[in-house]
């Protein structure tokens, strides 16, 4: 947030900043989705809806998830919230009691830690193997189970590393959780952006419904970050608890955005494929270019739209001791915004979002090269 605020300040002063910070698609929301929102306005669909979302949208979400992943959820197992972040917040508050342990692989999306802390839970971090592309295995997680373990959070593909959990390992992880009655929260925010494997949801396993908690989001898949629509697929008792929480906090997600979301779920899906093809080109370019910078290594992201290079070679010199200081220097001297790895639980990395044009990527990476090697 600090880097984003500083970048914004520089930009407002007319400074030419290349922004690799933004965690959102640079594509506009597809036209058919925008038109659905315009129709909703024209038809005065502008009033309260049910707090947990309209029946129409819950049905559409269940249908989309069934078609994409072969699951079989009913609207009673679905809630629509104000973005995926809201879903993860509500799910965590509904599940985690003070003292409960929640297992979180490192590097992690920043929010997990804070929502677990807010619920009074204890985060148990599991290191992954950078040399193997930040790969995780069920065995690694298993070592961290205790009688207090309440939930495991999986984010595949991962923000920030782009790591994808192999299907066989995901199934083993599910079996470990299931056998212990531990919830497996699967954050499917980037599940459609996979470069070398087919879309997969652990919720499609026959026994998954009792312990798997799906947190879904339309933000990245349909370039709808500002619309704020996310959903959970979870056991009905948990959906009821989340509904209670939501009805006394935010109430319903915006009615117009819900209509747009129905179109996203049921309309043509070609925009998702087009975005993925573009991200793949950018991923290939960014990783190759980063690896040309002397001393920098970069694991190959297998999904999402982030690269997570190790810039440890630039630490401990020129007054830069940590990645926050590196990010500040990158912004102030090279005019490139990157997110420091400390935010994600590692100490030698920065996150580069390649949800920006190839031209911007080339410009920004030339500047970073100069900063690190110059
Ligand atoms: C891993 C991950 N999960 C969930 C979200 C939630 O996105 P939103 O609240 O926009 O749906 C994000 C957004 O950056 C994310 O990176």
């Amino acid at each position: 947030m600090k880097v984003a605020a500083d970048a914004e300040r520089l930009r407002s002063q007319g400074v030419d900043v290349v922004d690799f910070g933004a965690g959102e698609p640079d594509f506009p929301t597809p036209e058919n989705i925008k038109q659905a929102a315009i129709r909703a306005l024209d038809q005065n669909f502008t009033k309260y809806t049910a707090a947990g979302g309209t029946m129409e949208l819950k049905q559409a979400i269940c249908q989309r998830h069934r078609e994409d992943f072969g699951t079989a959820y009913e609207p009673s197992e679905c809630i629509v919230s104000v973005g995926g972040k809201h879903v993860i917040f509500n799910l965590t508050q509904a599940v985690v009691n003070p003292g409960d342990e929640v297992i979180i692989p490192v590097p992690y999306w920043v929010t997990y830690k804070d929502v677990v802390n807010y619920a009074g839970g204890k985060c148990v971090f599991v290191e992954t193997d950078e040399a193997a592309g930040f790969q995780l295995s069920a065995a690694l997680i298993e070592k961290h189970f205790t009688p207090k373990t309440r939930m495991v959070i999986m984010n595949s593909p991962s923000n920030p590393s782009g790591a994808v959990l192999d299907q066989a390992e995901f199934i083993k992880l599910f079996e470990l959780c299931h056998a212990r009655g531990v919830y497996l929260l699967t954050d499917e925010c980037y599940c459609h952006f996979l470069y070398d494997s087919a879309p997969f949801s652990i919720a499609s396993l026959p026994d998954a419904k009792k312990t798997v908690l799906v947190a879904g989001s339309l933000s990245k898949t349909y370039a709808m970050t500002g619309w704020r629509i996310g959903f959970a697929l979870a056991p009905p008792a948990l959906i009821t608890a989340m509904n209670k929480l939501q009805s006394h906090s935010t109430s319903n997600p915006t009615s117009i955005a819900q209509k747009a979301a129905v179109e996203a779920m049921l309309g043509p899906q070609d925009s998702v494929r087009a975005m993925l093809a573009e991200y793949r080109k950018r991923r290939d370019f960014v990783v190759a270019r980063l690896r040309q910078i002397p001393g920098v290594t970069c694991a190959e992201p297998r999904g999402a739209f982030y690269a997570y290079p190790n810039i440890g070679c630039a630490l401990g010199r020129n007054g830069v001791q940590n990645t926050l200081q590196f990010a500040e220097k990158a912004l102030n001297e090279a005019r490139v915004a990157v997110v420091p790895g400390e935010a994600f639980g590692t100490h030698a990395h920065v996150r580069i979002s390649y949800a920006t044009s190839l031209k911007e990527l080339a410009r920004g990476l030339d500047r970073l090269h100069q900063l690190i090697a110059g």
Side-chain angles (χ1 to χ4, degrees), residues 83-85 88 109 112 155 159 187 189-190 217 219-220 228:
K85 188 179 275 192
I88 292 163
W109 183 48
Y112 303 142
N155 174 218
N159 172 10
D187 179 351
C189 187
Y190 299 93
S217 167
S219 288
K220 322 283 169 154
R228 313 307 305 135

Side-chain angles (χ1 to χ4, degrees), residues 6 25 38 49 137 144 169 175 224 252-253 274 284 293 304-305 313 373:
D6 288 350
I38 292 167
T49 72
S137 66
H144 294 80
E169 287 300 321
E175 283 164 355
M224 289 178 74
N252 62 276
D284 293 347
I293 304 174
F305 45 67
C313 63

Side-chain angles (χ1 to χ4, degrees), residues 67-82:
E67 282 176 24
D68 287 343
F69 303 114
T71 53
Y73 283 99
E74 302 289 334
S76 60
E77 299 163 305
C78 179
I79 183 171
V80 186
S81 302
V82 187

Side-chain angles (χ1 to χ4, degrees), residues 46 90 110 132 142 199 202 260 340:
T46 53
N90 284 355
V110 208
E142 187 176 18
I202 194 68

Side-chain angles (χ1 to χ4, degrees), residues 264-338:
M265 297 286 92
L266 302 182
Q269 301 293 302
D270 44 334
S271 55
V272 184
R273 285 185 287 274
M275 282 189 258
L276 175 62
E278 192 55 38
Y279 289 142
R280 182 194 304 277
K281 275 190 233 154
R282 298 172 184 182
R283 189 265 320 243
D284 293 347
F285 173 77
V286 166
V287 173
R289 184 68 188 82
L290 280 167
R291 288 175 179 168
Q292 284 167 10
I293 304 174
V296 171
T297 57
C298 184
E300 177 106 332
R302 293 172 58 210
F305 45 67
Y306 307 106
Y308 202 54
N310 186 317
I311 51 91
C313 63
L315 304 182
R317 59 184 170 99
N318 301 327
V320 175
Q321 299 307 327
N322 54 47
T323 64
L324 177 59
Q325 288 171 355
F326 177 85
E328 284 170 350
K329 198 178 175 72
L331 187 59
N332 294 325
E333 293 178 20
R335 307 298 194 207
V336 180
V338 296

